[in-house]
Amino acid sequence: EVQLLDSGGGLVQPGGFLRLSCVVSGINFTTYAMSWVRQAPGKGLKWVAAISGDGDTTYYADPVKGRFTVSRDNSKNTLYLQLNGLRAEDTAMYYCANAQGNYWGQGTQVTVSS
Amino acid sequence: SYELTQPPSMSVSPGQTARITCSGDALPKQYGYWYQQKPGQAPVLVIYKDSERPSGIPERFSGSSSGTTVTLTINGVQAEDEAAYYCQSTDNSGTYNVVFGGGTKLTVL
């Protein structure tokens, strides 16, 4: 069974930081490009970032460029998203998924508020 | 920035056919993907590469593409199909830029 377990969300003040994690099991993690997708409360899905299977290539949506960093540790089957300089508009449920979209985590909530 | 346009809502009666459209200038060259999302749950892929159906997705779900529009068709809609549906694709910029449509809330009357 394929499982993606997101974690690391929480309540943080504006300007703060968080690191999200996604532990993957049931697939050959190294062969999958991975993505992060977020969803603000009551809103639609927004792509955030992606990373190649070997971790050498990363891509970002314009609203998070320069603030968020996607990375992976293939020895631990784990995907990360470092969130820096957080803003109120970053408040959302964050999902990890493989780039093909057929496997998703359950999401981890990030709330940015003073 | 690149956009995919979907109708915000749609209503159908059980047993009828629902057709949800998604329009974008890059769709003639880029594949369309469709996700179903029920409240409080993660999205589920129901169609990939315009018309392919993942294993485990009922046959009543199908996809098609024509010009700048991709369409998700649900034949014989059931009450359990009530959900938000999102299309997804990429633009023609040459960089990897994933875009989702705004979503269509399907109500089964």
Side-chain angles (χ1 to χ4, degrees):
Chain A
E1 180 189 8
V2 179
Q3 284 194 322
L4 284 71
L5 296 178
D6 305 308
S7 64
L11 174 62
V12 62
Q13 293 186 342
F17 61 90
L18 283 172
R19 189 176 83 155
L20 309 184
S21 299
C22 173
V23 178
V24 180
S25 60
I27 57 174
N28 186 349
F29 182 62
T30 304
T31 64
Y32 284 86
M34 299 294 294
S35 294
W36 287 97
V37 175
R38 68 183 180 183
Q39 186 170 35
K43 302 297 185 181
L45 301 172
K46 298 289 187 183
W47 174 73
V48 174
I51 187 168
S52 59
D54 60 11
D56 286 349
T57 307
T58 57
Y59 307 91
Y60 298 93
D62 285 344
V64 308
K65 277 181 184 175
R67 299 188 299 125
F68 291 7
T69 302
V70 61
S71 62
R72 64 193 296 159
D73 185 339
N74 285 346
S75 70
K76 296 181 178 179
N77 282 9
T78 303
L79 175 72
Y80 301 102
L81 186 67
Q82 179 70 38
L83 292 70
N84 294 333
L86 282 162
R87 307 166 180 167
E89 55 264 36
D90 296 318
T91 294
M93 182 71 76
Y94 285 73
Y95 296 98
C96 66
N98 69 320
Q100 295 91 335
N102 49 331
Y103 305 124
W104 290 69
Q106 82 286 358
T108 186
Q109 178 68 40
V110 172
T111 302
V112 184
S113 175
S114 55
Chain B
S1 61
Y2 183 54
E3 293 183 352
L4 295 172
T5 302
Q6 301 179 233
S9 63
M10 176 179 295
S11 299
V12 295
S13 299
Q16 299 299 304
T17 296
R19 293 183 180 85
I20 302 173
T21 59
C22 172
S23 298
D25 290 342
L27 287 173
K29 293 187 176 182
Q30 304 296 336
Y31 284 122
Y33 297 75
W34 289 96
Y35 297 88
Q36 176 194 69
Q37 188 182 33
K38 297 181 179 179
Q41 298 183 19
V44 173
L45 181 69
V46 294
I47 294 290
Y48 66 99
K49 291 185 178 180
D50 292 344
S51 59
E52 300 295 320
R53 191 173 56 249
S55 60
I57 300 301
E59 291 184 5
R60 63 180 181 274
F61 289 86
S62 64
S64 60
S65 176
S66 178
T68 59
T69 300
V70 291
T71 302
L72 172 68
T73 301
I74 311 172
N75 289 306
V77 168
Q78 300 183 7
E80 67 199 49
D81 300 330
E82 183 164 293
Y85 291 85
Y86 296 91
C87 63
Q88 178 236 301
S89 187
T90 54
D91 62 19
N92 283 329
S93 66
T95 62
Y96 186 72
N97 182 32
V98 176
V99 177
F100 286 93
T104 299
K105 176 64 170 75
L106 176 67
T107 300
V108 181
L109 300 170

